[in-house]
Amino acid sequence: MDNETRSNCYDAKDSKPIGYIDPRLLHENGKGVPLNKLPPQGPLYMVEFKSGRIDYYYIAPTTDLSNITSGGNGFLQPMVGDLVIVEADRGKDLGKVAQVALTCEQVLQTQQQDDRVVAKNDMDETSDESPKQHNSIPSSPSSSASNSLSSPTNSEQPSSIKNSSATRPEQSTEEMYVKRIHRLATPDEINMLLVKSQDEQRALVICQQKVKQRKLQMEVMDAEYQWDRRKLTFYFSAEKRIDFRELVREMFKIYKTRIWM
């Protein structure tokens, strides 16, 4: 986005978008901001995480000039390839910027296309004699309840597995939520990616051992820590429905953090 375009979107006096509403007033139960509450022109950003997971984010104006990439205009300007700290499920995560300057309409269209692909795959699997069960972390926060299992904490019980995406209607701007890019990752945080990767590999091996001990008919393929270690996700596939609630409880006792599978 060039400087002329930016000047049309932001008030020069206070570096806030024209008609700006503080997104913090719009957050609903940690899900983020409804897409239809943001300026239609964006800009929105696609951010990639481990195992091909993606999500979409907005940037709120900031006065923290230490995180301005260029221009010194008082707001963050991440570029493709930048590592950023983002708002995540009850905490923060670190990902890589994959696309920039997206409009709300572009994000919505992309998400609707993804939903149609997921729905088609689910319908194809249900027509097979032995449909596989996959864990997935959907790109849209609003659809997470239908595709992932939230692990137990002291006050939580595992949710039942649902596979309703085949009949799920396409999302609208009222149903889709986006979260915030807080800032660019610091060099120290980037250097910690190696430690994070090593811890994820150890967690993967332990989970695979527990699966083998319990003789569960599932293959655990990867593990992913949320950057702040408040959630640990295991990716798996299985030929049939698996009751892995006891496995989740055991992994929670080991890692003392929320476990998703």
Side-chain angles (χ1 to χ4, degrees):
M1 185 183 295
D2 56 27
N3 289 332
E4 181 179 356
T5 304
R6 292 194 188 100
S7 65
N8 290 333
C9 297
Y10 287 78
D11 183 279
K13 182 177 180 180
D14 58 10
S15 297
K16 293 182 179 180
I18 297 172
Y20 172 76
I21 300 175
D22 191 338
R24 289 174 297 181
L25 302 178
L26 302 172
H27 278 246
E28 298 184 15
N29 300 323
K31 292 190 299 184
V33 175
L35 188 61
N36 66 340
K37 299 297 184 181
L38 296 175
Q41 73 276 12
L44 298 176
Y45 300 80
M46 177 193 288
V47 178
E48 292 181 337
F49 302 89
K50 191 176 181 180
S51 300
R53 181 169 62 89
I54 64 169
D55 216 333
Y56 297 94
Y57 296 85
Y58 71 93
I59 293 177
T62 178
T63 56
D64 183 3
L65 298 184
S66 64
N67 278 296
I68 306 306
T69 57
S70 63
N73 295 321
F75 55 95
L76 185 61
Q77 300 173 267
M79 307 296 290
V80 172
D82 282 347
L83 296 178
V84 289
I85 300 296
V86 301
E87 181 181 12
D89 186 11
R90 308 181 193 182
K92 294 180 180 180
D93 210 345
L94 187 152
K96 179 185 292 186
V97 177
Q99 292 187 35
V100 300
L102 298 170
T103 65
C104 292
E105 183 63 25
Q106 288 174 321
V107 168
L108 181 61
Q109 288 178 353
T110 300
Q111 187 58 48
Q112 288 176 342
Q113 291 173 358
D114 291 344
D115 286 346
R116 285 193 288 269
V117 170
V118 171
K120 183 180 183 302
N121 291 340
D122 288 344
M123 292 179 67
D124 290 342
E125 287 185 357
T126 55
S127 65
D128 295 337
E129 292 184 0
S130 301
K132 284 190 177 182
Q133 174 189 340
H134 300 271
N135 112 297
S136 62
I137 302 300
S139 57
S140 170
S142 62
S143 62
S144 60
S146 64
N147 290 289
S148 59
L149 177 69
S150 180
S151 63
T153 61
N154 292 336
S155 60
E156 292 179 336
Q157 295 297 325
S159 345
S160 59
I161 302 170
K162 301 177 182 178
N163 191 9
S164 60
S165 55
T167 58
R168 183 174 68 239
E170 290 185 351
Q171 296 184 73
S172 69
T173 56
E174 295 179 354
E175 299 167 333
M176 186 173 179
Y177 288 74
V178 292
K179 296 180 181 178
R180 179 179 177 180
I181 294 179
H182 288 295
R183 55 181 173 79
L184 298 179
T186 65
D188 288 343
E189 289 169 332
I190 295 172
N191 291 336
M192 288 297 293
L193 284 174
L194 177 59
V195 175
K196 176 176 176 287
S197 178
Q198 293 171 340
D199 290 344
E200 289 167 341
Q201 184 60 35
R202 283 192 286 267
L204 174 62
V205 171
I206 290 176
C207 188
Q208 289 172 335
Q209 291 173 345
K210 298 298 182 182
V211 167
K212 186 175 181 179
Q213 291 170 3
R214 294 179 174 276
K215 298 181 179 180
L216 297 174
Q217 299 302 308
M218 58 189 290
E219 180 184 2
V220 183
M221 300 174 292
D222 206 351
E224 179 187 11
Y225 261 120
Q226 188 168 288
W227 178 254
D228 56 13
R229 306 298 179 103
R230 292 187 178 184
K231 182 169 71 174
L232 176 57
T233 300
F234 293 98
Y235 296 86
F236 75 95
S237 66
E239 294 291 339
K240 59 183 180 180
R241 298 285 181 176
I242 303 295
D243 183 356
F244 46 73
R245 287 175 292 181
E246 290 301 322
L247 173 64
V248 169
R249 292 189 181 99
E250 188 169 3
M251 297 306 294
F252 173 74
K253 290 179 181 178
I254 296 173
Y255 289 101
K256 300 296 188 293
T257 191
R258 297 171 61 230
I259 305 294
W260 278 31
M261 301 197 77

